[in-house]
Amino acid sequence: WAHTHIQCWHTHSLWALVYTQHPIWAGYDIHSWALRYVENTNTMACYNELLQLERGEVLAQFKLRACNAIFTALEQSQEAIEITNEDQVIQYVNPAYESIMGYQQGELIGKEITEVPKSEKNKPDLLETINSCIRKGKEWQGIYYAKKKNGDSVQQNVKITPVIGQGGKIRHYVSIHRPLHDQNKVRDIQSSKHKDRRKGSLDVRSTTSRGSDGSSQRRHSSMARIHSMTIEAPITKVINIINAAQESSPMPVAELYSPQLGTKEEDPHTNDLVGGLMTVKVGGRGRPWGSIDPHLPSHLAMPLSLNDIPPHVAQTMENEDSWDFDIFNLETACLKRPLTYLGLKIFSRFGVCEFLSCPEATLRSWLQGIEANYHSTNSYHNSSHAADVLHATSYFLCKERVKQSLEQIDEVAALIAATVHDVDHPGRTNSFLCNAGSELAILYNDTAVLESHHAALAFQITTRDDKCNIFKNMERNEYRTLRQAIIDMVLATEMTKHFEHVNKFVNSINKPLAALEENGGIGDEESVKGILTSPDNRILVKRMLIKCADISNPCRPLELCIEWAGRISEEYFAQTDEEKRQSLPVVMPVFDRNTCSIPKSQISFIDYFITDMFDAWDAFADLPNLMQHLDNNFKYWKGLDERKLHSLRPPPE
Ligand SMILES: *[C@@H]1O[C@H](CO)[C@@H](O)[C@H](O)[C@H]1NC(C)=O
Ligand SMILES: *[C@@H]1O[C@H](CO)[C@@H](O)[C@H](O)[C@H]1NC(C)=O
């Protein structure tokens, strides 16, 4: 426990950020989260949650840089700034505070405000006023006497801002102090906007204390407070620095970090700003793409099984065998690990572990390792897309004709190929990479750059470490066959060969099958079987299968189809933005966020790529529900386009 605990909280500032950001935790109290974490007996599960959070979401270097910038601003501020938690325990004072008040940080941090000596010059009767003001979450501002360490009283203009955390509770108080003799600064502070300004002449530190509440009413045991401090301190700093800085610091702190974050945050609300810290545009990553994510430490090869999937996650996967399965529910429920969870379930349904003679723990590590190498910063090509393609693949594999054609090794290859088929996708197209002269384009001679990379990297990740090597116990020849099939399928997702693959499928499979049916009715079982199961045709079926799974978005129920359309458009917009920034050729000029008609782009995509391919696939595999959705969705986009709308949805009536 101790080992896990220490390791996890080693980067607690990052966890805290992740925690506040993720919807699944929104509204929870970080204290209870910490306690839940601490109390969870399955420490491996916890560790893994955290690890995955970091891999999936937290871009450590990026955030540390942003935090450093903010800290620098705070440390340089000429105003004395003091931050306490909701129990009035001092968590931070800046250097200006130290020099004005004569204390060292170390003498104050961890102390309750009531323990710090106060000046007798303040009238005590405003205490309740101020307390009731700030406890309601309102800001208080006024003049008071503070007592320096040497006993002198100094008159200061002080502003106390309660900081509201997730769930609407007050989490901290930020006090900003200015000696009153500094006229400029007083003017600054007085002209700054504030909500509930009251003047008084009280020692702020006595007013902000709990007073008569007493320690018996504390919400947390001392143990819990220790935890909460450990966990909260970094985020306290970030949130409060932002607030304090925005309110009154002469230093343009927000400006300082926003270029790095690539966002313009106008709204000073804490959540938005923390959100801003977390928002990373496509292309911004801690790890240069093309490099392998360090594989999971060996102690993470967890003996967890399907049975350990949290019930609320399991619930979102109950109907995963249906085409109308809503993957976005899973995405929301599972802390951005849809691929791991759905993979576990689907692979188990198809008996993949048995086929590979691999323990489920290895499969789990493998899924995690693969998922960690998808970029969660891509708006489309992240592990949700991989999970979606895996889902479509598993659905197609259950169709009668497909089952007749494929053997189990083909099914296993298809499921694995779907899982890895876009791993480490940089959120840019092949043409972009070639134009930009990227390392990968150079490595792969501008040919099937991404697809080659996905296939190669998938095997590197898998075979580097026995803990996640799902192929380890396979017989050599069988492995070679499987590997060949996986590579072939991943490469088949390359769109330059789209028409070639579809045509081959139609000519070698659909036409001969149709001819047989016309001639001899259903009679000639043997000939049908011959067509379906010849090695060459099995390859064509698998290619067609993964291609259709890969671009099946327009055949999904309308709401899902719309969500995917929004994501792919955003990813393309981001590429166009970058092409313009870098003066590269704009590969897809219609995907300009200022001018693009999303309905038109969807209509063209369906017309050009989808209709014929799914006609052929439907003729083979019999997919009336998909064709119905495709029809509906097409009409939906047409409808928007006829109304000359460019957006994903019609405006509200
Ligand atoms: C994929 O990107 C979308 C944004 O388009 C995001 O909401 C989602 O959480 C991402 N999924 C994963 C698993 O990173
Ligand atoms: C790229 O082209 C060079 C020169 O033709 C060749 O030697 C090399 O094998 C090619 N690499 C790949 C990955 O195709």
Side-chain angles (χ1 to χ4, degrees):
W1 178 85
H3 173 74
T4 311
H5 178 77
I6 290 160
Q7 292 235 353
C8 286
W9 297 119
H10 180 64
T11 47
H12 55 264
S13 59
L14 303 178
W15 304 131
L17 282 169
V18 171
Y19 151 78
T20 55
Q21 171 69 7
H22 201 278
I24 203 162
W25 299 114
Y28 280 110
D29 176 329
I30 196 164
H31 304 252
S32 60
W33 180 65
L35 290 174
R36 196 136 36 101
Y37 164 67
V38 166
E39 283 162 6
N40 192 326
T41 50
N42 194 338
T43 52
M44 275 317 202
C46 287
Y47 194 169
N48 207 51
E49 292 266 313
L50 295 174
L51 188 89
Q52 288 294 326
L53 277 173
E54 183 197 41
R55 281 159 193 270
E57 211 167 4
V58 175
L59 305 163
Q61 290 182 9
F62 177 88
K63 235 153 274 113
L64 287 174
R65 267 185 282 127
C67 289
N68 279 341
I70 298 166
F71 279 120
T72 306
L74 189 65
E75 302 277 313
Q76 302 290 325
S77 166
Q78 292 168 28
E79 296 166 291
I81 297 172
E82 175 198 65
I83 298 170
T84 72
N85 69 4
E86 78 269 44
D87 291 333
Q88 311 294 330
V89 176
I90 299 172
Q91 296 192 309
Y92 176 83
V93 297
N94 70 348
Y97 188 101
E98 293 180 300
S99 74
I100 293 171
M101 301 300 293
Y103 284 101
Q104 299 290 304
Q105 264 201 350
E107 299 174 84
L108 292 174
I109 290 178
K111 274 210 175 132
E112 290 186 32
I113 266 179
T114 45
E115 296 172 65
V116 182
K118 282 159 222 70
S119 169
E120 317 72 31
K121 292 192 179 181
N122 295 309
K123 283 183 274 167
D125 54 316
L126 280 180
L127 186 144
E128 281 313 314
T129 317
I130 293 171
N131 251 343
S132 69
C133 172
I134 61 172
R135 280 196 201 148
K136 279 188 220 136
K138 293 181 181 166
E139 188 178 284
W140 182 86
Q141 183 171 333
I143 295 171
Y144 82 108
Y145 287 93
K147 192 167 194 157
K148 293 194 192 183
K149 193 182 177 190
N150 68 10
D152 294 348
S153 290
V154 279
Q155 212 182 9
Q156 297 185 334
N157 194 326
V158 66
K159 175 149 82 171
I160 311 165
T161 309
V163 180
I164 313 294
Q166 298 278 336
K169 289 183 186 162
I170 296 174
R171 294 301 181 205
H172 305 95
Y173 297 98
V174 180
S175 310
I176 302 177
H177 310 237
R178 279 179 191 177
L180 209 51
H181 50 78
D182 187 333
Q183 288 307 320
N184 287 339
K185 287 181 179 175
V186 171
R187 212 170 40 240
D188 278 353
I189 205 169
Q190 285 177 345
S191 62
S192 71
K193 64 181 160 136
H194 53 268
K195 294 137 233 162
D196 191 52
R197 181 168 151 188
R198 296 178 201 196
K199 287 195 192 283
S201 54
L202 260 190
D203 185 328
V204 63
R205 283 176 288 161
S206 66
T207 65
T208 57
S209 75
R210 280 272 154 122
S212 58
D213 279 6
S215 55
S216 62
Q217 290 195 8
R218 295 200 190 296
R219 274 197 306 126
H220 304 288
S221 70
S222 56
M223 191 55 193
R225 282 215 327 277
I226 289 166
H227 281 297
S228 74
M229 284 181 66
T230 317
I231 299 157
E232 285 197 318
I235 193 149
T236 301
K237 290 177 186 171
V238 174
I239 293 172
N240 293 332
I241 292 156
I242 294 167
N243 277 354
Q246 285 226 332
E247 284 292 311
S248 62
S249 170
M251 293 197 69
V253 177
E255 249 49 65
L256 200 65
Y257 69 81
S258 62
Q260 214 173 14
L261 299 174
T263 57
K264 264 220 152 61
E265 290 293 348
E266 323 272 19
D267 181 30
H269 291 142
T270 305
N271 286 350
D272 288 6
L273 283 163
V274 172
L277 274 176
M278 299 296 302
T279 309
V280 182
K281 293 294 174 236
V282 173
R285 284 174 302 278
R287 171 172 58 90
W289 64 266
S291 70
I292 306 182
D293 199 29
H295 53 270
L296 299 172
S298 56
H299 58 277
L300 286 176
M302 304 184 330
L304 286 185
S305 75
L306 203 52
N307 301 329
D308 295 314
I309 293 180
H312 71 283
V313 175
Q315 211 180 349
T316 65
M317 296 194 295
E318 258 165 18
N319 69 335
E320 52 82 18
D321 53 356
S322 149
W323 182 252
D324 294 351
F325 165 67
D326 186 342
I327 196 157
F328 300 117
N329 287 338
L330 171 64
E331 179 186 80
T332 314
C334 71
L335 293 167
K336 307 223 166 181
R337 286 172 301 158
L339 187 56
T340 301
Y341 283 122
L342 193 62
L344 270 179
K345 183 148 189 214
I346 289 178
F347 278 48
S348 128
R349 178 151 65 84
F350 281 85
V352 174
C353 283
E354 291 80 354
F355 181 84
L356 299 172
S357 315
C358 113
E360 200 190 37
T362 309
L363 173 64
R364 188 173 183 120
S365 298
W366 179 78
L367 284 166
Q368 289 168 334
I370 297 292
E371 183 152 33
N373 280 276
Y374 277 90
H375 300 192
S376 76
T377 45
N378 290 346
S379 50
Y380 185 86
H381 287 103
N382 57 41
S383 70
S384 301
H385 166 67
D388 181 54
V389 175
L390 175 61
H391 176 260
T393 299
S394 72
Y395 182 82
F396 294 153
L397 287 174
C398 293
K399 291 288 139 188
E400 204 47 45
R401 268 279 170 74
V402 179
K403 284 203 286 196
Q404 287 167 5
S405 169
L406 300 185
E407 295 175 7
Q408 197 184 3
I409 192 167
D410 300 311
E411 292 179 1
V412 171
L415 295 171
I416 294 174
T419 305
V420 305
H421 85 282
D422 269 334
V423 66
D424 199 37
H425 196 295
R428 298 288 180 261
T429 62
N430 276 332
S431 330
F432 177 95
L433 299 177
C434 296
N435 289 333
S438 76
E439 271 176 47
L440 280 188
I442 289 168
L443 177 64
Y444 291 113
N445 292 338
D446 288 354
T447 310
V449 174
L450 281 170
E451 293 74 17
S452 304
H453 177 59
H454 303 317
L457 185 71
F459 281 92
Q460 286 170 29
I461 295 169
T462 308
T463 56
R464 276 156 52 103
D465 183 352
D466 276 358
K467 292 289 185 302
C468 65
N469 188 351
I470 52 174
F471 305 130
K472 183 165 174 272
N473 298 327
M474 285 188 85
E475 192 267 317
R476 175 187 292 271
N477 284 329
E478 201 164 40
Y479 170 65
R480 294 201 64 79
T481 310
L482 183 67
R483 172 172 153 77
Q484 191 47 56
I486 294 168
I487 294 171
D488 186 80
M489 289 180 79
V490 173
L491 293 182
T493 60
E494 195 218 338
M495 290 303 280
T496 58
K497 296 235 175 88
H498 173 82
F499 295 103
E500 183 185 324
H501 292 314
V502 176
N503 280 330
K504 278 188 184 165
F505 180 82
V506 170
N507 288 328
S508 310
I509 298 173
N510 278 3
K511 284 185 182 169
L513 284 177
L516 273 181
E517 275 174 24
E518 270 172 30
N519 291 347
I522 10 166
D524 201 348
E525 288 280 335
E526 277 309 300
S527 311
V528 171
K529 204 159 175 54
I531 294 170
L532 290 178
T533 60
S534 83
D536 284 352
N537 282 354
R538 272 166 49 208
I539 291 175
L540 298 182
V541 169
K542 282 181 284 179
R543 287 180 186 163
M544 186 73 168
L545 185 152
I546 197 166
K547 279 184 59 56
C548 290
D550 191 22
I551 53 177
S552 65
N553 297 162
C555 302
R556 294 284 188 179
L558 180 63
E559 274 310 310
L560 306 184
C561 165
I562 294 173
E563 174 66 24
W564 290 122
R567 291 184 181 195
I568 191 69
S569 305
E570 177 50 41
E571 194 168 303
Y572 288 163
F573 293 161
Q575 171 166 318
T576 301
D577 291 343
E578 190 176 342
E579 286 163 337
K580 288 182 177 175
R581 260 197 318 274
Q582 298 192 13
S583 309
L584 292 168
V586 175
V587 184
M588 298 179 291
V590 296
F591 284 98
D592 184 315
R593 65 173 77 250
N594 304 310
T595 53
C596 182
S597 160
I598 295 179
K600 270 195 205 308
S601 74
Q602 286 292 312
I603 291 167
S604 309
F605 183 69
I606 292 173
D607 273 341
Y608 197 69
F609 292 111
I610 298 291
T611 308
D612 290 346
M613 180 173 73
F614 272 91
D615 273 345
W617 187 233
D618 173 49
F620 178 77
D622 188 27
L623 304 155
N625 51 340
L626 275 77
M627 302 313 281
Q628 186 61 54
H629 285 309
L630 178 58
D631 199 43
N632 283 350
N633 297 336
F634 188 75
K635 287 190 179 125
Y636 172 81
W637 298 122
K638 276 281 190 205
L640 289 182
D641 187 45
E642 275 155 19
R643 294 169 63 188
K644 309 233 180 308
L645 295 170
H646 284 189
S647 49
L648 285 173
R649 292 189 176 78
E653 295 300 326

